[in-house]
Amino acid sequence: MEKVKGPHEFTREGVLHAVAQLITCDDQSLAVADKVMFRNCLVAMRPKTTIKDLPSTYDITMYIHNQFVERLQELKKEILVS
């Protein structure tokens, strides 16, 4: 089994970021966030997880949108500076 380096503590923001990366970088459907088996995997990795800790499709959609808007603003600033 490969040892993976990553965060050492659980945060809701961390889970949201990781799931958003999975969806965007691995070409997964947004619906995966609401699949029972996927949510069970997240809970298996941290048994103390509550439903409020798990991101919904809406949460992920908003997170991806906001990250995209932030990136566009950064690019705009970089273009204006150069």
Side-chain angles (χ1 to χ4, degrees):
M1 183 170 258
E2 181 183 346
K3 190 170 186 173
V4 179
K5 289 185 179 182
H8 296 289
E9 68 179 334
F10 174 87
T11 63
R12 187 175 193 286
E13 181 73 19
V15 172
L16 183 58
H17 178 76
V19 173
Q21 274 191 319
L22 170 74
I23 289 170
T24 57
C25 297
D26 200 30
D27 198 27
Q28 296 292 322
S29 167
L30 279 167
V32 75
D34 289 329
K35 299 284 184 187
V36 172
M37 293 307 293
F38 179 73
R39 295 171 80 78
N40 286 345
C41 287
L42 294 177
V43 171
M45 289 185 268
R46 183 177 183 265
K48 294 179 183 178
T49 302
T50 64
I51 291 187
K52 290 177 84 175
D53 295 330
L54 300 174
S56 67
T57 299
Y58 176 79
D59 295 333
I60 295 167
T61 301
M62 294 309 299
Y63 181 83
I64 292 169
H65 172 80
N66 292 339
Q67 292 296 307
F68 181 72
V69 169
E70 283 180 29
R71 182 63 183 139
L72 285 178
Q73 290 171 346
E74 290 170 8
L75 288 172
K76 184 177 178 181
K77 285 180 187 175
E78 288 176 19
I79 290 170
L80 292 175
V81 169
S82 34

